[in-house]
């Protein structure tokens, strides 16, 4: 079965840029998307189709997808960005696959 | 305003059954393929099952196939998840989530409910 691998945790200082990776076999051949999830809240779509932002998502969030790795970048990181981030794609066109999630800590 | 409201979560004994329901409003339900996604305590998101916008096809996580059944009623704007032979490992918050079948977000889940808690324990 298809798997997506994310680092369990990353940390960043306020105002800095942080990258969160998501790895999967030939992931670049698929569309990847990213969700932000805070405790007690529902997931929020922050990136779709590899690099597009839904309306209302700050420009500080950007992403790319190539080869085996999709990367979410958060620039000028703020305390409010502290959350769990999940990448997601579709395998075989009918099965949804989530990465294990990355906890972002803003120190 | 788009709203998805899950219901039916409760404490159930191992081996028991439970039916979750998700009622929606604020958008054209038949434009959306729907899924159930769960998050066990301290764990990540796990896709459970999905159903196409018109209900003609269903899909399941391999590990859950045969125990869970997803269905929808486009006349009532609801999507359900029938869960059978429940195990302790099924303890989780269950979210309903939607994908715009028109491709607005390239098959990403752009709408989510607030979740309902299912606890499987004796």
């Amino acid at each position: 079965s298809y798997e997506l691998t994310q680092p369990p945790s990353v940390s960043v200082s306020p105002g800095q840029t942080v990258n969160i990776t998501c790895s999967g076999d030939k992931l670049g051949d698929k569309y990847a998307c990213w969700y932000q999830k805070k405790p007690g809240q529902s997931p929020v779509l922050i990136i779709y189709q590899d690099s597009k932002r839904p309306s209302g998502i700050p420009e500080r969030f950007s992403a790319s997808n190539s080869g085996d790795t999709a990367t979410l970048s958060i620039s000028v990181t703020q305390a409010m960005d502290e959350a769990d981030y999940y990448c997601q794609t579709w395998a075989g066109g009918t099965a949804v696959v989530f990465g294990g999630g990355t906890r972002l800590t803003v120190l | 305003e788009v709203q998805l409201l899950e219901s039916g979560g409760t404490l159930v004994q191992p081996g028991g059954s439970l039916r979750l329901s998700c009622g929606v409003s604020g958008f054209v339900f038949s434009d959306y393929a729907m899924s159930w996604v769960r998050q066990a305590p301290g764990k990540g998101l796990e896709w459970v099952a999905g159903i196409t916008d018109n209900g003609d096809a269903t899909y399941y996580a391999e590990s859950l196939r045969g125990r869970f059944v997803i269905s929808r009623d486009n006349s009532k704007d609801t999507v359900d998840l029938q869960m059978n032979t429940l195990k302790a490992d099924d303890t989780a918050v269950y979210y309903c989530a939607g994908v715009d079948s028109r491709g607005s977000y390239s098959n990403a889940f752009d709408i989510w409910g607030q979740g309902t808690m299912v606890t499987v324990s004796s």
Side-chain angles (χ1 to χ4, degrees):
Chain A
S1 61
Y2 194 82
E3 294 184 356
L4 294 174
T5 301
Q6 299 181 235
S9 64
V10 297
S11 60
V12 64
S13 300
Q16 299 302 303
T17 297
V18 63
N19 295 321
I20 299 174
T21 59
C22 172
S23 299
D25 185 49
K26 298 180 180 178
L27 179 57
D29 292 344
K30 311 174 187 293
Y31 279 146
C33 56
W34 292 87
Y35 303 89
Q36 178 190 69
K37 187 170 187 316
K38 297 181 179 180
Q41 299 183 19
S42 305
V44 174
L45 178 66
I46 58 172
I47 296 288
Y48 68 97
Q49 199 173 317
D50 294 338
S51 59
K52 297 184 178 180
R53 283 176 290 103
S55 61
I57 301 302
E59 293 182 5
R60 303 183 292 102
F61 292 90
S62 63
S64 62
N65 184 19
S66 179
D68 292 338
T69 304
T71 302
L72 171 70
S73 295
I74 309 173
S75 61
V76 195
T77 308
Q78 303 178 6
M80 66 185 296
D81 299 329
E82 191 162 279
D84 294 330
Y85 291 87
Y86 293 88
C87 58
Q88 180 247 306
T89 192
W90 289 75
T94 59
V96 176
V97 181
F98 286 98
T102 298
R103 175 150 298 176
L104 173 65
T105 301
V106 182
L107 299 172
Chain B
E1 179 188 7
V2 171
Q3 289 192 330
L4 294 81
L5 186 62
E6 300 94 338
S7 61
T10 189
L11 172 64
V12 60
Q13 292 191 341
S17 297
L18 195 62
R19 190 176 187 90
L20 305 182
S21 187
C22 174
V24 311
S25 61
F27 63 99
V28 179
F29 185 56
S30 58
D31 282 342
Y32 274 75
M34 299 299 295
S35 279
W36 286 90
V37 177
R38 69 184 184 182
Q39 184 175 34
K43 303 295 185 181
L45 299 176
E46 179 187 19
W47 176 72
V48 171
I51 188 167
T52 52
D53 52 6
N54 61 5
D56 64 349
T58 56
Y59 308 98
Y60 299 91
E62 198 62 39
S63 61
L64 299 173
R65 194 181 302 272
R67 290 197 300 125
F68 289 13
V69 178
I70 188 172
S71 61
R72 67 187 293 160
D73 186 338
N74 283 1
S75 68
K76 296 181 179 179
D77 290 352
T78 59
V79 56
D80 292 351
L81 183 69
Q82 176 67 41
M83 304 185 294
N84 301 318
T85 318
L86 284 163
K87 309 173 183 179
D89 288 349
D90 296 319
T91 294
V93 176
Y94 285 74
Y95 297 95
C96 63
V99 168
D100 189 340
S101 298
R102 299 164 297 177
S104 299
Y105 295 99
S106 298
N107 290 338
F109 295 108
D110 64 293
I111 53 174
W112 293 75
Q114 88 293 341
T116 188
M117 183 70 202
V118 173
T119 302
V120 183
S121 175
S122 56

